[in-house]
Amino acid sequence: MTHDNDTHPPSGYRFSDPQLPRAPWSLADLNNMMAACLLGPDDVAALRRSGPLLDPQREAILDVWYGFVGSHSFLLDSFVDTKTGQPDGDYLSRVRARFGQWILDTARADYDENWLRYQFEIGRRHHRVAKNATDNAHASPLVPFRFLPLLAQPIVDTLRPFLSRGGVTMAEVDAMQNAWRKAVLLQVTLWSYPYIIEGDF
Amino acid sequence: MTHDNDTHPPSGYRFSDPQLPRAPWSLADLNNMMAACLLGPDDVAALRRSGPLLDPQREAILDVWYGFVGSHSFLLDSFVDTKTGQPDGDYLSRVRARFGQWILDTARADYDENWLRYQFEIGRRHHRVAKNATDNAHASPLVPFRFLPLLAQPIVDTLRPFLSRGGVTMAEVDAMQNAWRKAVLLQVTLWSYPYIIEGDF
């Protein structure tokens, strides 16, 4: 699978950066969370098979996802510059570049300490503790919590036609999409951490 | 669709109870949340068609769900009596009766103020603000947040064989299961409210 990171990492992309704050979860915690959402070795294998399929289609996938966000003002609000009242194009495009890399990282499914640490960082960038900072943006200070779990649905639903290209069997499309559903659910759960009252996660 | 509520409501079941605290969301908020997770009129119709199919199978469905919880100590912990160290059978069975009613309520998909109010109440019963109180239980004071979104996956995955009974077409099973996925995701998002730092939901 192509992993862009080595050649041209997106601005602000910090997977495997040892300077990142440590994640508040252990690998044992992660194992329990994976068991809770039924994410097992078959799903990891299916995620990895999805990588080479999705990689060349990433821009088209991002067009669909950004089209969805752009069509709902309550979603686009997270990218609106509070000074101008207009969507911040720079912020949108910087986040988009990392979102494209995220497709590859999700398909890579290497669930180790570095992965946990970057999930924690992604969560912080949605929450007021760190939103806007990476991109020097002046948008709203928070992606409201509610949209983290809810957006797992359109993300994974709209992936289906992209998983169905190139003579893939229906059973294989189902296997890859189910694996993506679990992987995204797991990630949005981890990303929620900064929103949760201390001790309640 | 049968709605048990009129004949023998489970102990502690308070759907439509005007004494319940008001929900912190408006119907406009709910509409945005439904749009975010793609829950539309076709899904509401599919949920309602699932009711008569699932109603007579509720005990078997609950056996599967309780079997899953019982097979993972980190899930069963929420039902363990902190004094005896043993699962509290009374607490488990009272929650189970309401869980059976919840299947019908989810299939009914009447998204109104009463529904929102009871979602808020269900969330509070998972969180330390109200856990155990309804059933006078002495179990752990909190269902950890992480399991609310994550358990949407096994809940909806394990429903599939029950939706597939009685000569239902594959397309219809898919329609009902997809609708359930959205409906459960929406509910676990709402149930998360008491866990979220004030202002961040």
Side-chain angles (χ1 to χ4, degrees):
Chain A
M1 180 185 318
T2 306
H3 186 208
D4 277 5
N5 191 23
D6 303 326
T7 48
H8 44 87
S11 171
Y13 178 69
R14 296 181 62 192
F15 201 129
S16 298
D17 182 340
Q19 308 285 342
L20 282 181
R22 284 186 64 87
W25 319 288
S26 66
L27 290 173
D29 290 331
L30 177 62
N31 277 338
N32 286 350
M33 288 190 255
M34 290 172 70
C37 74
L38 302 175
L39 202 168
D42 288 352
D43 298 300
V44 169
L47 286 165
R48 292 179 181 165
R49 293 196 304 275
S50 78
L53 260 173
L54 298 177
D55 185 358
Q57 304 183 81
R58 284 187 288 150
E59 288 306 317
I61 295 167
L62 291 165
D63 284 344
V64 172
W65 291 346
Y66 267 58
F68 184 76
V69 168
S71 69
H72 292 293
S73 62
F74 55 87
L75 298 177
L76 192 60
D77 274 351
S78 296
F79 293 101
V80 168
D81 189 309
T82 53
K83 289 184 292 192
T84 66
Q86 297 300 312
D88 179 338
D90 257 18
Y91 184 31
L92 278 160
S93 70
R94 288 166 62 104
V95 169
R96 181 180 166 122
R98 294 195 298 272
F99 211 169
Q101 178 63 49
W102 174 83
I103 296 173
L104 300 183
D105 292 340
T106 300
R108 204 149 40 97
D110 273 341
Y111 298 127
D112 59 10
E113 295 279 5
N114 276 325
W115 183 85
L116 276 178
R117 200 178 266 221
Y118 197 51
Q119 299 312 309
F120 182 48
E121 174 66 11
I122 294 175
R124 297 179 75 250
R125 292 178 183 188
H126 287 74
H127 186 260
R128 57 178 91 246
V129 292
K131 190 169 175 289
N132 298 319
T134 301
D135 304 305
N136 295 307
H138 303 279
S140 70
L142 179 84
V143 179
F145 162 78
R146 66 190 76 180
F147 298 122
L148 272 62
L150 293 174
L151 291 180
Q153 191 71 32
I155 290 282
V156 180
D157 281 9
T158 57
L159 216 49
R160 190 166 181 90
F162 299 101
L163 293 168
S164 307
R165 302 273 160 85
V168 179
T169 65
M170 187 75 91
E172 171 68 350
V173 174
D174 283 342
M176 291 187 292
Q177 192 179 27
N178 286 335
W180 265 85
R181 207 172 289 289
K182 297 171 187 179
V184 175
L185 191 63
L186 176 62
Q187 289 186 61
V188 297
T189 302
L190 296 172
W191 298 350
S192 302
Y193 185 89
Y195 297 78
I196 303 296
I197 295 168
E198 191 167 353
D200 290 354
F201 185 85
Chain B
M1 182 185 321
T2 306
H3 186 208
D4 277 5
N5 191 23
D6 303 327
T7 48
H8 44 87
S11 171
Y13 178 70
R14 296 180 62 191
F15 202 129
S16 299
D17 182 341
Q19 308 284 342
L20 281 182
R22 284 186 64 87
W25 319 287
S26 67
L27 290 174
D29 290 331
L30 177 62
N31 277 338
N32 287 350
M33 289 190 255
M34 290 173 69
C37 73
L38 302 175
L39 202 167
D42 288 352
D43 297 301
V44 169
L47 285 165
R48 290 177 183 166
R49 293 196 304 276
S50 79
L53 261 172
L54 297 177
D55 185 358
Q57 304 183 83
R58 284 187 288 150
E59 288 305 316
I61 295 167
L62 291 165
D63 285 344
V64 172
W65 291 346
Y66 268 57
F68 183 75
V69 169
S71 69
H72 293 293
S73 62
F74 56 87
L75 298 176
L76 193 59
D77 274 351
S78 296
F79 294 102
V80 167
D81 189 308
T82 53
K83 289 184 292 190
T84 66
Q86 296 300 312
D88 179 339
D90 257 19
Y91 184 31
L92 278 160
S93 71
R94 288 165 63 104
V95 170
R96 181 179 167 123
R98 294 196 297 273
F99 211 168
Q101 178 63 50
W102 175 83
I103 296 173
L104 300 183
D105 292 340
T106 300
R108 202 149 43 95
D110 273 342
Y111 298 128
D112 60 10
E113 295 279 6
N114 276 325
W115 183 85
L116 276 178
R117 201 178 266 221
Y118 198 51
Q119 299 310 311
F120 182 49
E121 174 67 10
I122 293 175
R124 297 179 75 251
R125 292 178 183 189
H126 286 74
H127 186 260
R128 56 178 92 246
V129 291
K131 190 169 175 289
N132 298 320
T134 301
D135 303 304
N136 296 307
H138 304 279
S140 70
L142 179 84
V143 178
F145 163 77
R146 66 191 76 181
F147 299 122
L148 272 61
L150 293 174
L151 291 180
Q153 190 72 33
I155 290 282
V156 180
D157 281 8
T158 57
L159 217 49
R160 189 165 182 92
F162 299 102
L163 294 168
S164 307
R165 302 271 160 87
V168 179
T169 66
M170 187 76 92
E172 171 68 350
V173 174
D174 283 342
M176 291 188 292
Q177 192 180 26
N178 286 335
W180 266 85
R181 206 171 290 288
K182 298 170 188 179
V184 175
L185 191 63
L186 175 63
Q187 289 186 61
V188 297
T189 301
L190 296 172
W191 298 350
S192 302
Y193 185 89
Y195 296 79
I196 304 296
I197 294 168
E198 191 167 352
D200 290 353
F201 185 86

